[in-house]
Amino acid sequence: MSSIVEQGYGVGDVISLLWFKRSLPRYCTHFMEICIMLCADHGPCVSGAHNTIVTARAGKDLVSSLVSGLLTIGPRFGGAIDDASRYFKDAYDKGLTPYEFVEGMKKKGIRVPGIGHRIKRGDNRDKRVELLQRFARTHFPSVKYMEYAVLVETYTLSKANNLVLNIDGAIGSLFLDLLAGSRMFTKPEIDEIVGIGYLNGLFVLARSIGLIGHTFDQKRLKQPLYRHPWEDVLYTK
Ligand code: ACO
Ligand code: LMR
């Protein structure tokens, strides 16, 4: 680590070495750093932040509050990056049209990972997704997986306005382009990375920054024990 710092490298280079076991070109490390900044926080109302806030307000310590939030990261929230990369890769490599891919997923009863959002819409796109796409179109040698994901989004948006390409889908498809286009990975290595599922790690790492901030906010503001409004959870027949 000391020699990395002495050579002026950044956190993207540290991730390259520790996760991918090699130095990656600057545009790749910059891309990872942008992902981390963009995913660091999305306000106090999302699943992870909510859990962290409730835990901090129950008087628990930093680590407990942090992991409480992290435990919500999964297939619906923040942890759809790996599955998005798996499904987009499989569909693209098989030459499926977006129609065939999306309708095939529907038949299997699987929601397309990386598509859909609670508040983002076709007419209220996610700025984070646009920023990542702009960066990749400028710096990546190829964005074929991302362009495929965009075609999938065009099709899903024709079905419903909430079915946008979300930040997980953008990172999942763009990371495929990073892995394939950088020529730094063999095909079996790409399959291994996608198969094991490295990419949710980016969201976990990033969102930890925000969740730690939410913990400190609650402590600093001396917030009392949280109790949820009844009407929000009352079960009715
Ligand atoms: N693929 C196919 N259909 C979908 C998808 C999807 N990814 N997402 C929603 N729909 C459909 C639903 O089936 C539903 O139709 P139905 O009522 O006829 O069943 C309709 O769209 C409305 O869906 P809701 O359940 O109201 O959407 P909700 O807002 O609850 O879900 C969520 C949002 C969880 C993100 C959902 O879109 C989803 O599961 N997406 C895939 C997982 C994913 O990418 N998660 C990461 C989100 S980004 C982030 O967390 C940082
Ligand atoms: C996030 O980054 O937390 C989200 O995209 C999820 C959300 O509902 O905002």
Side-chain angles (χ1 to χ4, degrees), residues 39 42 46-47 72-81 83-84 102 105-106 110-119 121 126 128 156 159-160 162-169 203 207:
C39 293
H42 212 224
V46 304
S47 307
T72 64
I73 296 176
R76 293 182 183 170
F77 167 67
I81 308 179
D83 271 345
V102 174
M105 294 289 276
K106 192 173 176 189
I110 305 171
R111 286 187 177 192
V112 181
I115 294 286
H117 199 273
R118 292 307 295 261
I119 55 171
R121 293 283 178 275
D126 193 328
R128 299 171 296 178
T156 53
K159 291 165 74 87
N162 66 319
L163 297 184
V164 290
L165 181 67
N166 61 43
I167 185 81
D168 283 11
F203 192 91
R207 194 51 61 96

Side-chain angles (χ1 to χ4, degrees), residues 181-201:
S182 66
R183 300 188 185 280
M184 299 293 293
F185 299 88
T186 63
K187 201 180 163 305
E189 284 176 335
I190 295 174
D191 289 341
E192 185 178 57
I193 289 166
V194 172
I196 289 175
Y198 282 37
L199 308 180
N200 287 345

Side-chain angles (χ1 to χ4, degrees), residues 208-237:
S208 294
I209 301 171
L211 298 179
I212 290 170
H214 285 293
T215 306
F216 293 156
D217 285 344
Q218 297 306 308
K219 303 280 184 196
R220 194 183 61 254
L221 296 169
K222 299 193 176 24
Q223 289 300 290
L225 182 67
Y226 179 83
R227 201 171 199 283
H228 201 76
W230 262 113
E231 56 274 20
D232 225 26
V233 283
L234 205 57
Y235 297 98
T236 51
K237 288 197 177 175

Side-chain angles (χ1 to χ4, degrees), residues 50-67:
H50 180 84
N51 259 24
T52 287
I53 289 169
V54 171
T55 308
R57 290 179 58 167
K60 300 294 295 272
D61 58 288
L62 172 64
V63 176
S64 304
S65 305
L66 170 62
V67 298

Side-chain angles (χ1 to χ4, degrees), residues 31-32 34-36 38-39 78 80-82 84-85 88 114 128-129 132-133 140 146 165-178 199-200 202-203 206:
F31 175 75
M32 286 191 265
I34 294 173
C35 288
I36 290 167
L38 290 176
C39 293
I81 308 179
D82 285 316
S85 70
F88 283 138
R128 299 171 296 178
V129 171
L132 287 176
Q133 291 176 329
F140 282 26
M146 183 202 87
L165 181 67
N166 61 43
I167 185 81
D168 283 11
I171 295 176
S173 56
L174 279 168
F175 224 94
L176 291 174
D177 286 318
L178 185 156
L199 308 180
N200 287 345
L202 281 172
F203 192 91

